[in-house]
Amino acid sequence: MKKVFPILLILFALSMIVQYVVNELISEHVVEYSIKTKDNSYMIKETFDYADGDNYYDFTVSDKDDLFYTFTYKNDFNRQERIIKDIKMISSNDLHCIYPIFRRNKVDNIQCLYQGNQVSYSYLEQIGNEDIKIITKKLTEENKKYKNEDWVDTETVPKEAENSVVKAYIDNVMEDYVFTIWNYSGLVLVRKGDVHTSIFLNKDQYDNVNSALVDKYYITVVDGTDDFNYFRVYNVKDIGKKDIYTEGKNFISRDFYINGVYKDKLYLTDVTNKKQYAVDPVRDVAKVVGDEESGFKRVKDGKLITEKASLFINNKIYFENTIVDKRFIELGAKEVRQDGAFYYFITEKGEVMRSHEDKIYRPVKLFQLEGLTEWIVRDGEVLVVAKDTIYFFNEKTGLKKIAENTELSYNHKNIVDFWKK
């Protein structure tokens, strides 16, 4: 027996190591399973994706009456499958909601059907629906752990940024997030409990078409008439600036455009010199990655591929997640973007909608705003500009007002963005 115990211990250790290695190798999975409760039964499709250090779970859920819900959840469950363990169902008049309970008794936000269509808590709050208050109250009375910060009514007072027309709702900002607002000669940074103005250019640049946020680095091409050989880079997290020069300090012509961002690098095309550059703000290098002979880089289906240089020189090729799909015309979409297993689209009415790739025609109405002009979708989160106001939405916190800037009413192209740790 004394000899058996060490062997069992070694086998146990080896099994744990194997499990750890297997989990580390798994970057995605798709599983389908069912859950039965005392009052219903549910079919669940779970899609997992591990990207850039984060764990994303996307779900479709249908019950025995074919009521259908879609939602996404971000949390680290060691890449395990079948993370929904229970579902609470609760209704009030024509509002029907489910509340998923995940592994380790984790919870997130409530998912609801209103008049037969799925809507977010934020939208119900926007239209003044009283039934959602009844439902969330019942949930919290059943278990104090059943809660979400989106359900708490909070009054926030904006704080004015120094030397700026920006008013920021700093109490609405989550920890480890930074919202950036172009301020002509720099940025206004809106953070949790703080608003900071940074100046890093010598003169104003009204149009901001030649800037991009790459992870925590804000990269700008300084205006001028001559060709250039460096990029001004500002760290929005640690507050500091630097210049990154092109490899060999070779000059880029003013006839250029930014392709986009991929894996923390900024790609741009120099049309005159027929070259493509990649700017890496971590390694402080800007080097040629494409020419007429080797081709240029673009993003397709989430991967970097090589195509003919002439395509980029004769046309402007961008890495954006905007797509063209005739199916969304039937849903009233004027612009569509893909993010993970979901499609996000906006309508002429200012509605922001989300459809799962498996159920295009059953979208969720996330929120609705008048005068919507700009929007960014990234990792299941949405940043929008509506008239002179910036809003932010994610599944956990719902729709929050971030800042107001009167100049956004007439200058909003590439003015706002956000970074998260």
Side-chain angles (χ1 to χ4, degrees):
M1 187 68 184
K2 290 182 179 180
K3 293 181 179 180
V4 173
F5 181 75
I7 294 173
L8 291 174
L9 191 62
I10 291 171
L11 290 174
F12 175 77
L14 287 173
S15 68
M16 294 300 292
I17 292 171
V18 169
Q19 182 180 354
Y20 174 79
V21 171
V22 169
N23 285 337
E24 286 299 307
L25 291 174
I26 295 173
S27 61
E28 58 184 27
H29 69 239
V30 178
V31 295
E32 296 185 12
Y33 53 101
S34 62
I35 288 179
K36 288 187 177 181
T37 65
K38 64 180 180 180
D39 49 18
N40 213 325
S41 60
Y42 302 90
M43 287 299 302
I44 300 169
K45 182 178 179 179
E46 172 186 300
T47 304
F48 168 78
D49 182 43
Y50 177 79
D52 299 325
D54 288 319
N55 298 268
Y56 300 94
Y57 289 88
D58 299 326
F59 296 96
T60 64
V61 176
S62 57
D63 72 0
K64 61 181 177 60
D65 298 317
D66 198 33
L67 297 180
F68 181 82
Y69 308 82
T70 70
F71 52 96
T72 185
Y73 184 54
K74 177 183 173 183
N75 210 318
D76 185 3
F77 290 103
N78 199 26
R79 312 187 194 190
Q80 295 179 63
E81 300 178 354
R82 306 170 189 267
I83 68 165
I84 295 181
K85 308 311 295 178
D86 192 13
I87 294 177
K88 301 293 181 182
M89 184 189 70
I90 192 164
S91 301
S92 179
N93 295 317
D94 57 356
L95 185 64
H96 307 281
C97 303
I98 62 170
Y99 190 60
I101 312 297
F102 303 97
R103 286 180 180 270
R104 306 171 194 162
N105 289 320
K106 296 287 186 180
V107 293
D108 198 39
N109 214 336
I110 198 166
Q111 311 297 327
C112 297
L113 292 173
Y114 177 62
Q115 297 178 345
N117 299 309
Q118 191 177 353
V119 297
S120 72
Y121 179 91
S122 293
Y123 178 73
L124 292 168
E125 191 175 46
Q126 280 188 311
I127 64 174
N129 184 279
E130 293 297 325
D131 291 312
I132 189 61
K133 302 295 183 184
I134 295 171
I135 289 174
T136 54
K137 184 179 179 181
K138 287 181 179 178
L139 277 172
T140 52
E141 287 175 348
E142 179 182 341
N143 190 324
K144 290 182 180 180
K145 292 183 179 180
Y146 297 165
K147 59 184 178 180
N148 185 281
E149 56 190 278
D150 193 18
W151 305 348
V152 181
D153 293 326
T154 56
E155 291 291 333
T156 58
V157 178
K159 178 180 179 181
E160 294 187 18
E162 294 181 8
N163 306 315
S164 173
V165 295
V166 173
K167 294 181 179 179
Y169 292 81
I170 56 180
D171 293 332
N172 284 346
V173 179
M174 295 179 293
E175 294 287 350
D176 298 324
Y177 279 70
V178 178
F179 294 89
T180 64
I181 307 170
W182 182 248
N183 200 31
Y184 302 144
S185 58
L187 293 168
V188 174
L189 306 178
V190 181
R191 303 172 293 194
K192 181 69 174 178
D194 175 54
V195 54
H196 176 77
T197 301
S198 297
I199 305 299
F200 50 85
L201 299 182
N202 295 326
K203 61 179 182 179
D204 286 356
Q205 293 185 183
Y206 182 78
D207 294 319
N208 194 39
V209 293
N210 297 327
S211 296
L213 186 63
V214 183
D215 192 38
K216 63 182 179 180
Y217 299 99
Y218 201 90
I219 301 177
T220 299
V221 175
V222 180
D223 278 352
T225 55
D226 298 328
D227 296 348
F228 63 97
N229 65 355
Y230 76 97
F231 300 85
R232 181 62 46 84
V233 180
Y234 189 81
N235 187 323
V236 303
K237 175 180 179 288
D238 303 312
I239 312 297
K241 68 177 181 179
K242 61 184 178 181
D243 291 335
I244 296 178
Y245 284 84
T246 58
E247 197 170 42
K249 293 194 175 181
N250 295 318
F251 283 88
I252 299 173
S253 76
R254 286 289 166 180
D255 185 11
F256 79 95
Y257 66 94
I258 292 175
N259 302 115
V261 178
Y262 181 77
K263 290 193 179 297
D264 297 337
K265 293 180 183 178
L266 176 70
Y267 289 78
L268 64 87
T269 292
D270 181 346
V271 177
T272 300
N273 296 315
K274 299 179 181 180
K275 292 181 180 179
Q276 187 183 44
Y277 285 81
V279 184
D280 186 337
V282 175
R283 293 180 173 83
D284 291 347
V285 294
K287 60 183 181 180
V288 176
V289 293
D291 54 33
E292 284 189 285
E293 184 177 346
S294 63
F296 284 16
K297 307 295 183 184
R298 75 176 300 179
V299 176
K300 185 176 182 180
D301 297 328
K303 297 180 180 179
L304 202 65
I305 64 171
T306 302
E307 294 193 342
K308 291 181 179 179
S310 58
L311 182 64
F312 295 74
I313 295 166
N314 299 326
N315 307 277
K316 290 189 175 181
I317 305 299
Y318 301 107
F319 295 175
E320 295 177 349
N321 55 356
T322 301
I323 66 166
V324 177
D325 190 323
K326 293 181 180 179
R327 293 175 296 176
F328 290 99
I329 296 176
E330 302 173 39
L331 297 172
K334 70 173 186 177
E335 192 171 342
V336 185
R337 294 181 181 172
Q338 187 171 12
D339 184 70
F342 289 95
Y343 294 99
Y344 292 75
F345 61 94
I346 57 175
T347 70
E348 294 290 348
K349 297 178 182 179
E351 299 164 307
V352 177
M353 315 285 286
R354 182 184 69 204
S355 290
H356 193 277
E357 60 187 4
D358 290 343
K359 298 286 184 178
I360 296 295
Y361 296 105
R362 290 191 176 185
V364 183
K365 185 181 290 189
L366 301 178
F367 55 91
Q368 184 172 357
L369 295 168
E370 292 184 7
L372 197 156
T373 54
E374 295 289 321
W375 65 310
I376 295 171
V377 179
R378 187 184 301 140
D379 299 334
E381 299 175 316
V382 186
L383 182 70
V384 301
V385 175
K387 296 182 179 178
D388 66 348
T389 305
I390 303 165
Y391 297 86
F392 182 72
F393 174 91
N394 71 12
E395 197 80 39
K396 185 175 183 63
T397 64
L399 184 68
K400 298 293 182 183
K401 188 182 292 187
I402 300 300
E404 296 173 355
N405 183 353
T406 56
E407 299 191 25
L408 286 172
S409 297
Y410 48 87
N411 185 20
H412 47 75
K413 183 67 176 178
N414 197 37
I415 298 297
V416 305
D417 211 323
F418 72 97
W419 170 84
K420 60 180 179 180
K421 186 176 180 179

